[in-house]
Amino acid sequence: MITVIKPGATEPQIQNLITWFEARGLKTNISEGEEQTIIGLIGDVTKVDIDLVEGLEIVDSVKRISDPYKRANRKFHPNDTVVDIGGHKIGGGEFQIIAGPCSVESSEQILSVAESVQKSGAALLRGGAFKPRTSPYDFQGMKADGIELLLEAKAKTGMPIVTEIMNGLHLPMFEHVDVIQVGARNMQNFELLKELGKVRGKAILLKRGLANTLQELLMSAEYIMSEGNENVILCERGIRTFETATRNTLDLSAVSVLKELSHLPVVVDPSHATGKRNLVEPMAMAAAACGADGLMIEVHNNPAEALCDGAQSLTPEQFDRLTKKVAKIRKAII
Amino acid sequence: MITVIKPGATEPQIQNLITWFEARGLKTNISEGEEQTIIGLIGDVTKVDIDLVEGLEIVDSVKRISDPYKRANRKFHPNDTVVDIGGHKIGGGEFQIIAGPCSVESSEQILSVAESVQKSGAALLRGGAFKPRTSPYDFQGMKADGIELLLEAKAKTGMPIVTEIMNGLHLPMFEHVDVIQVGARNMQNFELLKELGKVRGKAILLKRGLANTLQELLMSAEYIMSEGNENVILCERGIRTFETATRNTLDLSAVSVLKELSHLPVVVDPSHATGKRNLVEPMAMAAAACGADGLMIEVHNNPAEALCDGAQSLTPEQFDRLTKKVAKIRKAII
Amino acid sequence: MITVIKPGATEPQIQNLITWFEARGLKTNISEGEEQTIIGLIGDVTKVDIDLVEGLEIVDSVKRISDPYKRANRKFHPNDTVVDIGGHKIGGGEFQIIAGPCSVESSEQILSVAESVQKSGAALLRGGAFKPRTSPYDFQGMKADGIELLLEAKAKTGMPIVTEIMNGLHLPMFEHVDVIQVGARNMQNFELLKELGKVRGKAILLKRGLANTLQELLMSAEYIMSEGNENVILCERGIRTFETATRNTLDLSAVSVLKELSHLPVVVDPSHATGKRNLVEPMAMAAAACGADGLMIEVHNNPAEALCDGAQSLTPEQFDRLTKKVAKIRKAII
Amino acid sequence: MITVIKPGATEPQIQNLITWFEARGLKTNISEGEEQTIIGLIGDVTKVDIDLVEGLEIVDSVKRISDPYKRANRKFHPNDTVVDIGGHKIGGGEFQIIAGPCSVESSEQILSVAESVQKSGAALLRGGAFKPRTSPYDFQGMKADGIELLLEAKAKTGMPIVTEIMNGLHLPMFEHVDVIQVGARNMQNFELLKELGKVRGKAILLKRGLANTLQELLMSAEYIMSEGNENVILCERGIRTFETATRNTLDLSAVSVLKELSHLPVVVDPSHATGKRNLVEPMAMAAAACGADGLMIEVHNNPAEALCDGAQSLTPEQFDRLTKKVAKIRKAII
């Protein structure tokens, strides 16, 4: 950590600050420039509150040099984490596709989608039971009943299931859920993250927030991991920018950056990122090409009732085509 | 609501969609252009799922013309809402300053700050007991003890108190809190919003999320109001942009836009928005000048222990100067 | 185009507006809702000034339904444009790699890079002669001498050359340049675009601005095309967002969106987009996988003097590996 | 400047880099931490190319501590610059309002607007002759004729005039123009900036680009100043963000930040920033309250032909009301 001192600071003030740093077990290195004095801090600076130091009268700015996360950090854990979900592995070269409808709507719907995506090669089944919606007047999901229907589909197909949680109080309903998803809007719901950190034997799929940096995503993973649950899967799902041609801007560089900074697996959700059906296939292929460990794709199986088809859901036929193309890309990059 | 049909759609497909809209109680108006057909929808469209319609094969795009919020909407409630907090009114021309430290640290600290900010003219006392922090290793607040200390200060000064909630389970601890704050990171924690909507006799101070539009802020207010608690105070606290000179970019146009769209009071938090002490006073003055109903200012009272001073906290002297300048602005605009 | 009328507008005011629209050769369609009246406009609305209509007292908002660009629009030109640069085709299934150093530095440097990238499969040579730099004190390029060195390298290798223009007055120096590049900062330098539109027999590589939408990019292409030069190649090179882990955020969805809206070829520049050498290869692979028509890659050939190596430049060896991987991806997607 | 070395770097590699720095006249200070070695650089680092150093294999990151601009920097020029435009001073406590129509349309129009805004207290007259428009099919301004009409209005009213330049070749037409405006889209048109730097006896009003940081704005001012023209007025006019309720997001913190970093005057353009007539007055008041040195306001004088009224233009009556309110704010802050 580097502390830049303001031009007018007096010697006793600087000495006072150095003493304070040293009392916290840090070694200091002073560099006196013509315009500015800089104090370098050596030792464990993760516990120094950067805002607090920056607020001091004599301090111009503070720059952290090392990363504020430890458990999610590849520096301290060089090998890829491989998350095993009912025998399906994600990470460390293992690639999986998670597919299913945005919302669970009925027993027929979820089972029909499950069977068709499984046939096309999806390993995990996703489906929303609790739905975060911007408007209180929009459909909020089937809730407990939705989870029951997912478990039914799991029983019939053997596919592990992935579904979103919005409230720690609902955890008992997630007993037989394999992967608990944290949605983008809850990425910094730290109370929820801490509760999920106490869960054992389940993976957490943590989606990047709409306006969160990759470092913040890793800090949120750290919240879960610091409570003991290290089975975290990161998910890039688009960020909010000025561009309106797509719902969000899919940030594929995030895949490479996250895999460099962290050992955790990274999956990509091109459906929510783009919000447009015809962009899902090309973005899925791009994600596979740049090294993502998996994909999360919205599929809806309803040829008869065309009106229940979300803007970004693929039909089973479109999904089948996507899986074949992604498989070719996977083969090309190995 | 306007539905733009794709060029190739057939007459029966369009007729089918019209029938579907009419089954939902909506009247339709068809406009056939050379390139495109447009279906206008008349009636209560708040319950039409825009994503669902946009996902139809024959639909090019959907544009909402009327607002998706009702209770927060000035159109249906033309008069300003005035929120009364222990006799201190906010909204409808009434202006209040909320001041206090970022975190409650000790009995002496909170009482000393309370007394000094009250002397300078602050009506409400703020202080964080539960602190949302990006890192799990940073100080997370004094929690229940912090609320106790706030209540002590309230007892001694008579100032109503404002403090942040992060988990619905903590509500019992907030029994004697006057204003419950929802932080920026929880603006779309819909489960928490619904619980706060059930609270009676307390105002909710709802902060805008880092990357949330003003319409989304109003939809979050609608979540609270639709459960019956209409005492909502909106708070602009800066948004995330590419600019790094300030922590966030304070969006003061939000004050005017929100007051045009909604009847709810709007306060501004220049401390968190800028993250820099020397910007707090000018931004507070600007907020008062453009018609904000109140300000929320971080003040820390610690002349002896200079190290506990956050980057954006004012000293009591700086705060006193700010209140005098703001009072002059308030006088100039009436 | 849709014009939404404000609730209080009188019948004569609305009639007055309709008459005005009709005087401009537009047919109108009136839809009277409970809350709002909407006027649909049918006919050629490209010449209606949307800002002007939006400014009328009785108008609430105006929404354009059809696209404001014609020559760049796929609707009016369904087949892919294929740009031929000295026999190397870009677009319509033809893929090319443009490679070379950020700046031309010396005869040896540019020739050495040209020969090595040609050997690895690059068809076009890039190199900066005029360099746009944020600071007036940074190196501004070799200017005319730089172009001379590029032409020398072209003469020796036969590779067509691509280089950036910053001022229309410099056009005579670009006489033998094959592709003139417009940098991100000049994407809306409309005076320059119009001059380039008058150029014949040269392609224009138009880079997306840091904060420009895809529609604005197409409008800038339209500036060039409306003056008669239809050989425009679009280039996605990252946009400015809140994320700081990469220099810009590469928006790969842009490739698919642009190819859907327009018939023009689209190339991707992963070097400038990410600003980091180790992200260039994965992003190049992703771009190829999602259907880009070409890549633009920074390569620097200087094993001896390591200090002249930009943060994102590849060595010839790294570039060679990239071309092999991209070739595999190209094969997988055909 | 701080250079952070990667963990694996060898002693000879580090020594090699130090030698290279010292050859450039810089003193170095080495700080060896447990995880990282940091090299501090002391001396004139403005000429060190940060990208070049960051690209070195052994370098992890580079952080600039001091500012890369000199002439625009308050550190080297502590007193406010006061720009005198025909006897009207801007900066150093002097405040001026610049007003007029978006585009010059006719002799009657510009003269009528000039007379009315002058009566209300505007000191300078603005009007667009060359108009940057996103679409090549939109009205591009009256060009040379527009400047003639502005000069006519100047002759009759005595008001100095402000108008935008888009091409250095047009400079001869600007001979009698008092303030040359550089629009947001040309803020990084460095060729134009350099030409304006050679102009003598005229002020340059430099608008912030849509997605440019305040540091980049100061670097663009530096381009002009480094060529000898130090009469630069900075203008905040809104930045591009995700929010769509306003055309841009007005960043009023920019006023305080710019005045702290630089001695140049700062004016605010609330008309273009918000794009909405009813937001112009409150944002003008806020700008005055936080210390702006001036305002730039769009006014259109056309009671008969309501259709020529841009979305954000004020009527002369609205402008008159604004000037009275701004005067009250100015009085309150002195």
Side-chain angles (χ1 to χ4, degrees):
Chain A
M1 207 162 86
I2 292 295
T3 302
V4 183
I5 303 299
K6 282 191 189 154
T10 64
E11 200 46 54
Q13 283 178 310
I14 294 172
Q15 203 46 56
N16 193 34
L17 179 59
I18 290 168
T19 310
W20 187 82
F21 281 134
E22 291 178 346
R24 268 136 197 89
L26 299 167
K27 276 186 275 178
T28 57
N29 175 290
I30 318 303
S31 161
E32 290 191 27
E34 275 152 50
E35 287 175 37
Q36 273 154 319
T37 296
I38 292 161
I39 305 176
L41 297 176
I42 301 156
D44 179 12
V45 294
T46 52
K47 279 162 197 174
V48 175
D49 191 330
I50 200 164
D51 287 345
L52 188 148
V53 178
E54 213 155 39
L56 295 174
E57 274 307 331
I58 65 164
V59 172
D60 185 83
S61 61
V62 180
K63 293 174 199 292
R64 215 183 260 287
I65 303 299
S66 56
D67 309 318
Y69 46 94
K70 293 282 167 200
R71 282 185 172 78
N73 199 329
R74 189 178 281 279
K75 279 183 199 148
F76 308 114
H77 187 316
N79 295 329
D80 285 349
T81 283
V82 181
V83 177
D84 188 317
I85 305 153
H88 303 281
K89 290 176 180 169
I90 297 189
E94 305 284 343
F95 182 91
Q96 302 298 346
I97 300 180
I98 305 165
C102 186
S103 296
V104 179
E105 295 166 24
S106 70
S107 174
E108 298 70 40
Q109 175 235 25
I110 189 68
L111 192 62
S112 148
V113 175
E115 285 170 347
S116 72
V117 300
Q118 190 176 36
K119 212 173 297 170
S120 297
L124 287 84
L125 177 67
R126 58 148 289 166
F130 292 90
K131 299 297 302 171
R133 302 301 301 261
T134 304
S135 164
Y137 310 123
D138 285 347
F139 175 55
Q140 312 263 326
M142 290 183 73
K143 301 176 183 179
D145 293 346
I147 293 185
E148 282 313 306
L149 297 181
L150 281 168
L151 293 174
E152 240 179 61
K154 176 183 173 177
K156 290 202 182 143
T157 61
M159 295 176 88
I161 59 174
V162 183
T163 195
E164 180 168 353
I165 196 165
M166 288 174 64
N167 189 332
L169 286 178
H170 299 162
L171 261 175
M173 291 186 235
F174 286 70
E175 198 188 338
H176 302 293
V177 167
D178 303 274
V179 181
I180 303 180
Q181 177 179 319
V182 178
R185 291 178 187 78
N186 280 316
M187 192 201 92
Q188 292 196 318
N189 181 341
F190 303 121
E191 291 286 313
L192 181 60
L193 299 179
K194 283 189 276 187
E195 291 194 65
L196 295 174
K198 287 173 197 138
V199 169
R200 292 293 174 273
K202 284 183 202 310
I204 309 299
L205 189 141
L206 178 65
K207 288 195 152 192
R208 181 183 186 182
L210 262 79
N212 287 109
T213 62
L214 297 174
Q215 178 166 308
E216 286 169 345
L217 174 59
L218 291 172
M219 293 307 296
S220 285
E222 193 83 6
Y223 258 98
I224 299 168
M225 298 171 85
S226 68
E227 297 286 340
N229 185 353
E230 305 223 334
N231 286 314
V232 178
I233 302 168
L234 305 171
C235 180
E236 161 60 30
R237 45 78 71 213
I239 56 173
R240 190 163 265 190
T241 70
F242 62 83
E243 177 60 73
T244 54
T246 44
R247 188 189 293 161
N248 298 290
T249 297
L250 181 64
D251 176 12
L252 283 178
S253 317
V255 176
S256 306
V257 172
L258 288 172
K259 291 182 77 69
E260 190 179 332
L261 298 176
S262 176
H263 50 87
L264 296 173
V266 181
V267 303
V268 171
D269 175 349
S271 305
H272 281 88
T274 64
K276 295 198 166 169
R277 186 184 299 119
N278 58 334
L279 299 180
V280 174
E281 183 184 289
M283 289 307 107
M285 292 165 73
C290 70
D293 298 302
L295 292 169
M296 189 156 181
I297 308 283
E298 256 184 56
V299 181
H300 200 287
N301 189 16
N302 214 331
E305 220 302 44
L307 279 165
C308 298
D309 199 10
Q312 75 247 12
S313 287
L314 299 190
T315 62
E317 294 71 36
Q318 290 168 329
F319 177 69
D320 189 63
R321 199 178 87 143
L322 177 151
T323 58
K324 291 199 170 74
K325 293 204 173 184
V326 165
K328 278 192 185 175
I329 297 276
R330 287 282 304 159
K331 226 169 155 182
I333 66 169
I334 292 164
Chain B
M1 207 162 90
I2 292 294
T3 302
V4 183
I5 304 299
K6 281 191 190 154
T10 64
E11 200 47 53
Q13 284 179 310
I14 295 173
Q15 203 46 56
N16 192 34
L17 179 60
I18 290 169
T19 308
W20 187 82
F21 280 135
E22 291 178 346
R24 267 136 198 89
L26 299 167
K27 275 188 277 179
T28 57
N29 174 291
I30 318 303
S31 160
E32 292 191 25
E34 276 154 49
E35 287 176 37
Q36 273 154 319
T37 296
I38 293 161
I39 304 176
L41 297 176
I42 301 156
D44 179 11
V45 295
T46 51
K47 281 164 197 173
V48 176
D49 190 329
I50 202 164
D51 286 345
L52 187 150
V53 178
E54 214 155 38
L56 296 172
E57 274 306 331
I58 65 164
V59 172
D60 185 85
S61 62
V62 180
K63 291 173 199 294
R64 216 182 261 285
I65 303 299
S66 57
D67 309 320
Y69 47 94
K70 294 282 166 198
R71 282 185 173 76
N73 199 328
R74 190 178 281 277
K75 279 185 198 146
F76 308 113
H77 186 316
N79 295 327
D80 284 351
T81 283
V82 181
V83 177
D84 187 318
I85 305 152
H88 302 282
K89 291 177 179 167
I90 297 189
E94 305 284 343
F95 181 92
Q96 302 298 345
I97 300 180
I98 306 164
C102 186
S103 296
V104 179
E105 294 167 23
S106 70
S107 174
E108 298 69 40
Q109 174 236 25
I110 189 69
L111 192 62
S112 148
V113 175
E115 285 169 348
S116 73
V117 299
Q118 189 176 38
K119 212 174 296 170
S120 298
L124 287 84
L125 177 66
R126 59 150 288 166
F130 292 91
K131 299 296 303 170
R133 302 301 301 262
T134 303
S135 164
Y137 310 123
D138 284 347
F139 174 54
Q140 312 264 325
M142 290 182 73
K143 301 177 185 176
D145 292 347
I147 293 186
E148 283 313 307
L149 297 181
L150 280 169
L151 292 174
E152 238 180 63
K154 176 183 173 177
K156 291 202 183 145
T157 61
M159 295 177 88
I161 59 174
V162 183
T163 195
E164 180 169 352
I165 196 166
M166 287 174 65
N167 190 332
L169 287 177
H170 299 162
L171 261 175
M173 291 185 233
F174 285 70
E175 198 187 339
H176 302 293
V177 167
D178 302 275
V179 181
I180 304 180
Q181 177 179 320
V182 178
R185 291 178 185 78
N186 280 316
M187 192 201 91
Q188 292 196 317
N189 181 341
F190 303 122
E191 292 286 315
L192 181 60
L193 299 179
K194 282 189 277 188
E195 291 195 65
L196 295 175
K198 288 174 197 136
V199 169
R200 293 294 172 274
K202 284 183 202 309
I204 309 300
L205 190 141
L206 179 64
K207 288 195 152 191
R208 181 183 186 182
L210 262 79
N212 287 109
T213 63
L214 298 174
Q215 178 166 308
E216 287 169 344
L217 174 59
L218 291 172
M219 293 307 297
S220 285
E222 193 83 7
Y223 258 99
I224 300 169
M225 298 171 86
S226 68
E227 298 285 341
N229 185 353
E230 306 224 334
N231 286 315
V232 178
I233 301 168
L234 305 171
C235 180
E236 161 62 29
R237 43 77 72 214
I239 55 174
R240 189 162 265 192
T241 70
F242 62 84
E243 176 60 72
T244 54
T246 43
R247 186 190 295 162
N248 299 289
T249 298
L250 180 64
D251 176 13
L252 282 178
S253 316
V255 176
S256 305
V257 172
L258 287 172
K259 291 183 77 68
E260 191 181 331
L261 298 177
S262 176
H263 49 88
L264 296 172
V266 181
V267 304
V268 172
D269 175 349
S271 305
H272 282 88
T274 62
K276 294 198 165 169
R277 188 183 297 121
N278 59 333
L279 299 180
V280 174
E281 182 183 290
M283 289 306 108
M285 292 165 75
C290 69
D293 297 302
L295 292 169
M296 190 154 180
I297 308 283
E298 256 183 56
V299 180
H300 200 288
N301 190 15
N302 214 331
E305 215 312 36
L307 279 164
C308 300
D309 199 9
Q312 76 246 11
S313 287
L314 301 189
T315 62
E317 294 70 37
Q318 290 168 328
F319 177 69
D320 189 62
R321 200 178 86 144
L322 176 150
T323 58
K324 290 199 172 75
K325 293 205 173 184
V326 166
K328 276 193 187 175
I329 297 276
R330 287 282 304 159
K331 226 170 156 182
I333 66 168
I334 293 165
Chain C
M1 207 162 91
I2 292 294
T3 303
V4 183
I5 304 299
K6 280 190 190 155
T10 64
E11 200 47 51
Q13 283 178 310
I14 294 173
Q15 203 46 56
N16 192 36
L17 180 59
I18 290 169
T19 309
W20 188 82
F21 281 135
E22 291 178 347
R24 267 136 198 88
L26 299 168
K27 277 187 275 179
T28 57
N29 175 290
I30 318 304
S31 161
E32 291 191 28
E34 276 152 50
E35 285 176 38
Q36 272 154 318
T37 296
I38 292 162
I39 304 177
L41 298 175
I42 301 156
D44 179 12
V45 295
T46 51
K47 280 162 197 175
V48 175
D49 190 330
I50 202 165
D51 287 344
L52 187 150
V53 178
E54 214 155 39
L56 295 172
E57 273 307 330
I58 64 164
V59 172
D60 185 84
S61 61
V62 180
K63 292 174 198 293
R64 216 182 261 284
I65 303 300
S66 55
D67 309 318
Y69 46 93
K70 295 282 166 196
R71 283 185 172 78
N73 199 326
R74 190 178 281 278
K75 278 185 199 148
F76 308 114
H77 187 316
N79 296 326
D80 284 352
T81 282
V82 181
V83 176
D84 187 317
I85 304 153
H88 302 282
K89 290 176 180 168
I90 297 189
E94 305 284 342
F95 182 92
Q96 302 298 345
I97 300 180
I98 306 165
C102 186
S103 295
V104 179
E105 294 167 23
S106 69
S107 174
E108 298 68 42
Q109 174 236 24
I110 190 70
L111 192 63
S112 148
V113 175
E115 285 170 348
S116 72
V117 298
Q118 190 176 38
K119 213 174 294 171
S120 298
L124 287 85
L125 176 67
R126 60 148 287 165
F130 292 91
K131 298 298 303 171
R133 302 301 302 262
T134 303
S135 165
Y137 309 124
D138 285 346
F139 175 54
Q140 312 263 326
M142 290 184 73
K143 301 178 184 176
D145 292 346
I147 294 187
E148 283 313 306
L149 297 181
L150 281 168
L151 292 175
E152 240 180 60
K154 176 184 174 176
K156 290 203 182 142
T157 61
M159 295 177 87
I161 59 175
V162 183
T163 194
E164 180 169 352
I165 196 165
M166 288 174 66
N167 189 332
L169 287 177
H170 299 162
L171 261 174
M173 290 185 236
F174 286 71
E175 198 187 338
H176 301 293
V177 168
D178 302 275
V179 181
I180 304 180
Q181 177 179 321
V182 178
R185 290 177 186 79
N186 280 316
M187 192 201 92
Q188 291 196 318
N189 180 341
F190 303 122
E191 292 285 315
L192 182 59
L193 299 179
K194 282 190 275 188
E195 291 195 65
L196 295 175
K198 289 175 196 136
V199 169
R200 293 292 173 276
K202 284 182 201 311
I204 309 301
L205 190 140
L206 179 64
K207 288 195 152 190
R208 182 183 187 183
L210 263 78
N212 287 108
T213 63
L214 297 175
Q215 178 165 309
E216 286 169 344
L217 174 59
L218 291 172
M219 293 307 296
S220 286
E222 193 82 8
Y223 258 98
I224 300 169
M225 298 170 87
S226 69
E227 299 285 341
N229 186 353
E230 306 223 333
N231 286 315
V232 178
I233 301 168
L234 305 171
C235 180
E236 161 61 30
R237 44 77 73 213
I239 56 173
R240 188 163 267 189
T241 70
F242 62 85
E243 177 59 71
T244 54
T246 44
R247 187 190 295 161
N248 298 289
T249 297
L250 181 63
D251 177 12
L252 281 179
S253 317
V255 175
S256 305
V257 172
L258 288 172
K259 292 182 78 68
E260 190 180 332
L261 298 177
S262 176
H263 50 88
L264 296 172
V266 181
V267 303
V268 171
D269 175 349
S271 306
H272 282 88
T274 62
K276 294 198 166 169
R277 187 182 297 122
N278 58 335
L279 298 180
V280 174
E281 183 184 288
M283 288 307 108
M285 291 165 75
C290 69
D293 297 301
L295 293 169
M296 190 153 179
I297 308 283
E298 258 184 54
V299 180
H300 200 287
N301 190 15
N302 212 331
E305 217 311 36
L307 279 164
C308 298
D309 199 9
Q312 76 246 12
S313 288
L314 300 189
T315 62
E317 295 69 37
Q318 290 167 328
F319 177 69
D320 189 63
R321 199 177 87 145
L322 176 150
T323 58
K324 291 200 172 75
K325 292 204 173 185
V326 165
K328 277 193 187 174
I329 297 276
R330 287 281 304 159
K331 226 171 154 181
I333 66 168
I334 293 165
Chain D
M1 206 162 90
I2 292 295
T3 302
V4 183
I5 304 299
K6 282 191 188 152
T10 64
E11 199 47 53
Q13 283 178 310
I14 294 174
Q15 203 46 57
N16 192 35
L17 179 60
I18 290 169
T19 309
W20 187 82
F21 281 135
E22 291 178 346
R24 268 137 198 88
L26 299 168
K27 276 187 276 179
T28 56
N29 174 291
I30 318 303
S31 161
E32 291 191 27
E34 275 152 50
E35 286 175 38
Q36 273 154 317
T37 296
I38 292 161
I39 305 177
L41 298 176
I42 301 156
D44 179 12
V45 294
T46 53
K47 280 164 197 173
V48 176
D49 191 330
I50 201 165
D51 287 344
L52 189 149
V53 178
E54 214 155 37
L56 296 173
E57 275 306 332
I58 64 164
V59 172
D60 185 83
S61 62
V62 180
K63 293 174 200 290
R64 214 181 261 288
I65 303 300
S66 57
D67 310 318
Y69 47 93
K70 293 282 166 198
R71 283 184 171 77
N73 199 328
R74 190 178 282 278
K75 279 185 199 147
F76 307 113
H77 186 316
N79 295 327
D80 285 349
T81 283
V82 181
V83 176
D84 187 317
I85 304 153
H88 303 281
K89 291 176 179 168
I90 297 188
E94 305 284 344
F95 182 91
Q96 302 299 345
I97 300 180
I98 306 165
C102 185
S103 295
V104 178
E105 294 166 23
S106 70
S107 175
E108 298 70 41
Q109 175 236 24
I110 189 69
L111 192 62
S112 149
V113 175
E115 285 170 347
S116 72
V117 300
Q118 189 176 38
K119 214 173 295 171
S120 297
L124 287 85
L125 176 67
R126 58 149 287 165
F130 292 91
K131 299 297 303 172
R133 301 302 301 264
T134 304
S135 164
Y137 309 124
D138 284 347
F139 175 54
Q140 311 263 325
M142 290 183 73
K143 303 176 183 177
D145 292 347
I147 293 186
E148 283 312 307
L149 297 181
L150 281 168
L151 292 175
E152 240 179 62
K154 176 183 174 177
K156 290 202 183 146
T157 61
M159 295 176 88
I161 60 175
V162 183
T163 195
E164 180 169 352
I165 196 165
M166 289 174 63
N167 190 332
L169 286 178
H170 299 162
L171 261 175
M173 290 186 235
F174 285 71
E175 196 188 340
H176 302 293
V177 167
D178 302 274
V179 181
I180 303 179
Q181 177 180 319
V182 178
R185 291 177 185 78
N186 280 316
M187 193 201 92
Q188 292 195 318
N189 180 341
F190 302 121
E191 291 286 313
L192 181 60
L193 299 179
K194 282 189 276 187
E195 290 195 65
L196 296 174
K198 288 173 196 138
V199 169
R200 292 293 174 273
K202 284 182 202 308
I204 309 300
L205 189 142
L206 179 64
K207 289 194 151 191
R208 180 183 187 183
L210 263 79
N212 288 109
T213 63
L214 297 174
Q215 179 166 307
E216 286 169 345
L217 174 59
L218 291 171
M219 293 307 295
S220 285
E222 193 84 7
Y223 258 98
I224 300 168
M225 298 171 86
S226 68
E227 297 285 340
N229 186 353
E230 306 222 333
N231 287 313
V232 178
I233 302 168
L234 306 171
C235 180
E236 161 62 29
R237 45 77 72 213
I239 55 173
R240 190 163 266 189
T241 70
F242 62 84
E243 176 60 73
T244 55
T246 43
R247 187 188 294 160
N248 299 289
T249 297
L250 181 64
D251 176 13
L252 282 178
S253 316
V255 175
S256 305
V257 173
L258 288 172
K259 292 181 78 70
E260 190 179 333
L261 298 176
S262 176
H263 49 88
L264 296 172
V266 182
V267 303
V268 172
D269 176 349
S271 305
H272 281 87
T274 62
K276 295 200 166 167
R277 188 182 296 121
N278 58 334
L279 299 180
V280 174
E281 183 184 290
M283 288 307 107
M285 292 165 74
C290 69
D293 298 301
L295 291 169
M296 190 155 179
I297 308 284
E298 257 183 56
V299 180
H300 200 287
N301 189 16
N302 214 331
E305 221 304 42
L307 279 164
C308 299
D309 200 10
Q312 76 247 12
S313 287
L314 300 189
T315 61
E317 294 70 38
Q318 290 168 329
F319 177 69
D320 189 62
R321 200 177 87 145
L322 177 150
T323 56
K324 291 200 170 75
K325 292 204 174 185
V326 165
K328 278 193 186 174
I329 298 276
R330 287 282 303 159
K331 227 169 152 182
I333 66 168
I334 294 166

